[in-house]
Amino acid sequence: MTSRKMAIFAVVALLTCLATLVGAQGPPAYDLLIRSVRILDGTGAPWFRGDLAIRGDTITATGHVPAGEARIVIDGRGQVVAPGFIDIHTHARRGILQVPTADNYTRQGVTTLIEGPDGSSPIPLAPFLAGIAAARPSANFGTFIGQGSVRESVMGNVDRKATPAELEQMTRLVRDGMTEGAFGLSTGLFYTPGSYTPTEEIVVLARAAGALGGIHVSHMRDEATKVTDSVRETIRIGEEGGLPTQVTHHKIIGNENWGKSAETLRLVEEARTRGVDVTIDQYPYTASSTSISAALMPKWALEGSQQDVVKRLADPAQRERIKQAVVSMLAHERGGGDPSRVSISSCRWDPSLAGKNLAEITRGFGMEPTLENAAEAAMQIVQRGGAQGIFHAISEEDLQRILRFPLTMIASDGEVPIFGKESPHPRSYGTFVRVLGVYVREKQVLRLEEAVRKMTSLPAMRLGLPDRGILRPGMKADLVLFDPQRVRDTATFENPHQYAEGILLVVVNGQVIFDGKDMTAARPGRILYGPAFRAAQ
Ligand SMILES: [Zn+2]
């Protein structure tokens, strides 16, 4: 069946049933009844055929549902219904206030967005979450508290140890974040000021978050040459901090490091064997995305403000030192050994650079695109105000090895783009459906049930969400109906603003937010609060 036909059938079904409602006697037994579907419950168990009934915001029955009046009946036509996908690593605050429906996520079946990753979150959290709630998002929304943001607000962007008083103040901010609703502490030790933070200091904050039921999630210090050391550090934070710990968007950067995932996964297994609760999340692409300065500049050169950075670049001796480091990053790490493997996704001071690669930009600056000249071009970009980039330097083999690992969940690391604007990483539009289309159906790296588990019950368990991530009576009615033969990503690096295909229906808290063709008017997303906030209620 074509996607248009499928969409129309869903809409027609909705209309038909709205019509039956008018003539119904008494209150209907169900608000929404999806008939004749393959129910994939999110636990990894095999799908089974049946119906699924919802009353209010809650699943009331799965399997054989006795006939009864329903306000809306949808014929699922044997397609697959699964729990709505939970994205444990998003930068959704980039865009969610402009696009509260987060169409790029909704149209993939994502029903919960978790923010505050990579050590970066608003501080304090309460007004931030209130602002999101006021925007009435379609999907549910939760957050971490970011260690980098905490440190920056107390100490600034400085490369030194914290004083005892500063550490006390940071600990208090982490506790506040937890009581305001965070699910735990995120770190971004790759970014300043996280990169200036000794492990011992992180452990103190992790302990504070863990004591309030939180977890630790880390964009690690190094995902390239020292990736195994970084995994050890992430494990150590969990072990000494006494809380679950997660390697976020796990990848191996730089072709000289490819293959190291065998070692990193072994470290995770060993840690679990001795009782450390370590898990992983990942996006299914062989390119990463972050700022040009974070990816290519040495950390020492990024201390302080943009003005400080510019001042260092203006000093000939320091500029030469920086340049050597950038050349090395281009040759061995994010640059993938070739400036054409780096492209610009967005640039405030020159939006026309979006979509161009660093070789083209180097030529545009009047230079041959050698590594040296590309480093020169990258430094000029940083001097002029920086840009976001995309870096093709990950191997398919590592990607698949990490994906097959049973403790790896799926997360986008994406944002909420303004449709058609800039040239974002396609992960924002395609992560979840790419796993279903490419890695389940085409490459058969995962069984469908296993892939869905990685998107639903596994992140729900990790976050401690007691009532989502599994299709079972009593659970909240977040779900996605899709065609496993057709589901796929269409967003590419060249053409990222393209929605998923094969998603037939998306429901959040019992309300249809996407009917297979269009977003509906319903905006039922809720703020989801972490354990310390819930305990205080
Ligand atoms: Zn990150």
Side-chain angles (χ1 to χ4, degrees), residues 28 278 304 378 424 483 502 531:
V278 199
D483 178 348

Side-chain angles (χ1 to χ4, degrees), residues 89 91 117-118 191 218-219 223 248-249 251 289-290 413 427:
H89 184 140
H91 298 270
D118 299 339
Y191 298 105
S218 188
H219 178 153
E223 296 175 303
T248 200
H249 53 50
K251 57 173 111 53
S289 181
T290 190
D413 195 11
R427 64 195 182 189

Side-chain angles (χ1 to χ4, degrees), residues 120-143:
S120 168
S121 73
I123 293 177
L125 288 179
F128 166 57
L129 292 173
I132 300 289
R136 297 177 49 241
S138 294
N140 303 310
F141 191 97
T143 189

Side-chain angles (χ1 to χ4, degrees), residues 425-458:
H425 193 299
R427 64 195 182 189
S428 294
Y429 286 91
T431 291
F432 293 85
V433 286
R434 181 170 176 77
V435 169
L436 298 175
V438 174
Y439 292 100
V440 173
R441 188 177 60 239
E442 289 171 24
K443 298 190 175 176
Q444 299 179 6
V445 174
L446 296 173
R447 290 166 59 240
L448 181 61
E449 288 88 345
E450 176 64 1
V452 168
R453 183 183 72 83
K454 290 169 176 286
M455 303 171 180
T456 57
S457 67
L458 188 54

